[in-house]
Amino acid sequence: MNLTRRSLMAGASALTLMPKFGFASGNVEVLEARSGKAQLVSAEYPDTEIWGYDGKAPGPEIRVPQAARIQRKLLNSLNEPTTIHWHGIRIDNAMDGVPGVTQEAVQPNGEFSYDFTVPDAGTYWYHSHFNTTEQISRGLYGALIVEEPNAPEVDHDITVIVDDWRLDQNAQIDPDFKQVRDWTHGGRLGNFLKATLTPALNEVKQNQRLRLRFICVATDRVMRLALVGMAGKIVALDGMPVDTPTPVEMLTLGPAQRADVIVDITGATGEKAMIGFVGREQTIVLASLDITGQASLAPRPEIMPLPANPIQQLGTIEGAQITALNMEGGAMGGLQSGIYKGKRMTTEELVQNGQIWTFNGVAGMPESPLAEISLGETLRIPIINDTSFAHAMHLHGMHFQEIFADGSFGPLRDTILIERQETREIAFTASNPGDWVFHCHMISHQAAGMMTWVRVTA
Ligand SMILES: [Cu+2]
């Protein structure tokens, strides 16, 4: 696809009125989950009632140096329980924020003190892990940025949170989070896409260099993004630097995935640099930056790899334990029955229990782990997607690598997007003890059955 500026529809005039929330703030000690109001669409619409950290969506950006200690007290001012998961962080298990697995859910008016260090630099995020479809859909998420001590020089370092809201005519969030049609298909897809840039940025200059930290916080939508008026490379995926930065024009991010790109503004004065969402029928402008001059005559030097994180890549997979994960269910699937809470049920009975997807024949959290391995052991998981939908599998606590057909390994990731009827294999060497959930990050699918866990013993 050869995208030009002109092929992008100017459909997001509201973005020039982007509310100025979510500025970097590295010293928030309390995160209060509460309701709030946000101007999501434009001044012509009423403010949207959201739930957010400190009443904002996105919540405050947490930005710290690598290896820093993060301490945040979660105050729950919602009318229902909640927790915070620190997505992609190699964290102590007790701080992972999974209710019923690593902690009790924090009740209304309750609190929980999160305290952990961030070993790896990169782009991460935090979000609710309780009643997650609803709580993320209502805005309970924020960016967690860990800075390299020797970060590459750029003119702007911008976090780009991309979300997908389902709003009614008055710009209010559709409160029906339990539509069977969503569960059985591609999940809760919205009707209003929004990119929030932090810090806000409206203009750039030709030959300026930007680091854009993309975070897809949508519960279910895969974001296909086009970059126009800029050219550069992907330097990190899911927080982790890639060995060899690769040129980027289009970026595909499944729910929860991140990509850091370093780009130079190539457009000329008077033109625009844009981020567009490439949909089936149309491309929507999510961000539009005026190019207001030339920063320098000469193009910038070559984009180099980011400094590596102190994380071990896969060595050998010889002798590794292999445990397959078979995905079944959903619409246009052949699921006849599945086990839920220890009981075999027909698909009708599963649906009555809000379940529609299975991993290895089981819907929802199984009593025993998908696999149990000890520290230093390597686990291979071939993932067989025998369904008619894509899934974004996320492992907590550790990053994994894909094993390609030729035996080579892919980049370190914490979330892998697996297309319909596709089989992909991942592997990791256990480096973090605890019970770690492994689930589809199309959160509607997770809620409707796609959840399991692995145990790493010390
Ligand atoms: Cu899924």
Side-chain angles (χ1 to χ4, degrees):
M1 181 177 209
N2 190 11
L3 260 174
T4 66
R5 280 181 302 120
R6 283 167 296 277
S7 71
L8 292 180
M9 286 183 41
S13 56
L15 284 161
T16 53
L17 298 167
M18 190 177 295
K20 294 195 185 322
F21 50 56
F23 278 108
S25 140
N27 45 15
V28 182
E29 296 302 331
V30 169
L31 275 176
E32 184 185 11
R34 63 173 173 91
S35 57
K37 286 179 190 294
Q39 191 193 80
L40 281 188
V41 185
S42 71
E44 294 136 49
Y45 287 85
D47 281 354
T48 304
E49 304 266 358
I50 57 101
W51 296 351
Y53 296 109
D54 296 350
K56 293 166 181 161
E61 178 170 298
I62 299 174
R63 190 177 263 267
V64 296
Q66 186 168 7
R69 178 179 179 185
I70 292 181
Q71 292 171 285
R72 289 294 183 282
K73 185 191 282 183
L74 164 66
L75 294 183
N76 183 7
S77 300
L78 304 170
N79 292 320
E80 62 181 51
T82 193
T83 60
I84 300 178
H85 169 55
W86 310 89
H87 188 115
I89 303 293
R90 292 192 289 138
I91 200 167
D92 285 346
N93 191 253
M95 295 291 123
D96 197 41
V98 182
V101 179
T102 68
Q103 69 171 93
E104 293 302 315
V106 182
Q107 297 300 315
N109 299 314
E111 57 184 58
F112 187 90
S113 291
Y114 291 97
D115 185 352
F116 56 95
T117 56
V118 284
D120 305 306
T123 299
Y124 305 93
W125 63 302
Y126 63 99
H127 63 77
S128 157
H129 218 286
F130 184 91
N131 187 18
T132 319
T133 317
E134 176 165 1
Q135 293 196 2
I136 291 184
S137 291
R138 288 190 184 276
L140 283 162
Y141 54 74
L144 171 49
I145 306 300
V146 183
E147 295 180 329
E148 301 89 2
N150 304 305
E153 214 180 289
V154 295
D155 297 298
H156 297 285
D157 181 343
I158 307 286
T159 305
V160 185
I161 289 184
V162 191
D163 199 1
D164 176 32
W165 298 82
R166 187 183 285 186
L167 302 177
D168 67 15
Q169 294 299 315
N170 296 314
Q172 301 308 304
I173 297 167
D174 179 343
D176 186 356
F177 294 93
K178 297 199 158 77
Q179 285 192 22
V180 174
R181 204 190 171 280
D182 291 340
W183 298 343
T184 54
H185 290 73
R188 180 183 161 102
L189 300 177
N191 53 9
F192 180 71
L193 297 173
K194 186 177 176 74
T196 305
L197 276 57
T198 305
L201 183 69
N202 295 311
E203 52 185 63
V204 290
K205 291 185 161 58
Q206 189 182 41
N207 290 335
Q208 271 189 334
R209 176 160 284 188
L210 276 60
R211 178 174 185 166
L212 299 174
R213 302 169 178 268
F214 289 93
I215 307 174
C216 176
V217 301
T219 52
D220 296 275
R221 187 182 291 280
V222 176
M223 298 285 181
R224 297 186 208 284
L225 303 173
L227 306 180
V228 179
M230 52 185 114
K233 292 179 174 177
I234 295 176
V235 292
L237 292 167
D238 294 349
M240 296 296 169
V242 297
D243 295 337
T244 310
T246 49
V248 57
E249 273 176 37
M250 293 279 301
L251 202 56
T252 297
L253 293 179
Q257 289 188 317
R258 287 92 62 213
D260 286 38
V261 305
I262 292 181
V263 290
D264 295 332
I265 300 298
T266 52
T269 302
E271 295 184 344
K272 287 179 189 299
M274 290 188 278
I275 300 165
F277 169 85
V278 182
R280 282 213 184 107
E281 278 128 40
Q282 59 176 21
T283 297
I284 298 164
V285 176
L286 298 179
S288 176
L289 309 173
D290 293 326
I291 302 172
T292 58
Q294 204 171 35
S296 65
L297 288 173
R300 304 291 295 256
E302 200 186 335
I303 295 163
M304 303 301 287
L306 295 175
N309 276 325
I311 180 176
Q312 199 104 47
Q313 298 218 17
L314 268 180
T316 172
I317 51 171
E318 224 167 282
Q321 182 178 332
I322 303 180
T323 304
L325 183 79
N326 203 4
M327 302 170 151
E328 289 180 302
M332 297 167 281
L335 192 66
Q336 298 300 317
S337 71
I339 291 166
Y340 180 57
K341 293 191 172 164
K343 220 179 121 198
R344 180 159 294 281
M345 296 183 181
T346 63
T347 40
E348 289 72 28
E349 290 168 324
L350 286 172
V351 170
Q352 281 162 17
N353 282 281
Q355 303 295 301
I356 188 64
W357 305 91
T358 59
F359 285 159
N360 295 347
V362 179
M365 274 293 270
E367 259 176 40
S368 43
L370 174 73
E372 183 171 331
I373 48 172
S374 36
L375 279 177
E377 251 189 286
T378 299
L379 177 65
R380 296 171 60 172
I381 311 177
I383 305 171
I384 303 121
N385 179 3
D386 190 13
T387 81
S388 299
F389 295 89
H391 302 288
M393 287 300 295
H394 170 48
L395 176 66
H396 285 218
M398 288 165 289
H399 277 60
F400 53 76
Q401 286 169 272
E402 184 168 359
I403 304 174
F404 296 123
D406 66 0
S408 64
F409 304 147
L412 288 157
R413 298 212 71 144
D414 61 45
T415 307
I416 181 172
L417 183 63
I418 300 160
E419 299 294 343
R420 60 197 296 259
Q421 297 297 333
E422 194 177 51
T423 294
R424 308 267 289 273
E425 181 171 352
I426 63 167
F428 63 93
T429 301
S431 58
N432 201 357
D435 292 343
W436 301 105
V437 289
F438 181 42
H439 64 86
C440 183
H441 221 290
M442 284 158 176
I443 298 294
S444 303
H445 294 169
Q446 180 216 314
M450 299 191 110
M451 180 95 161
T452 187
W453 57 292
V454 298
R455 172 167 286 167
V456 177
T457 53

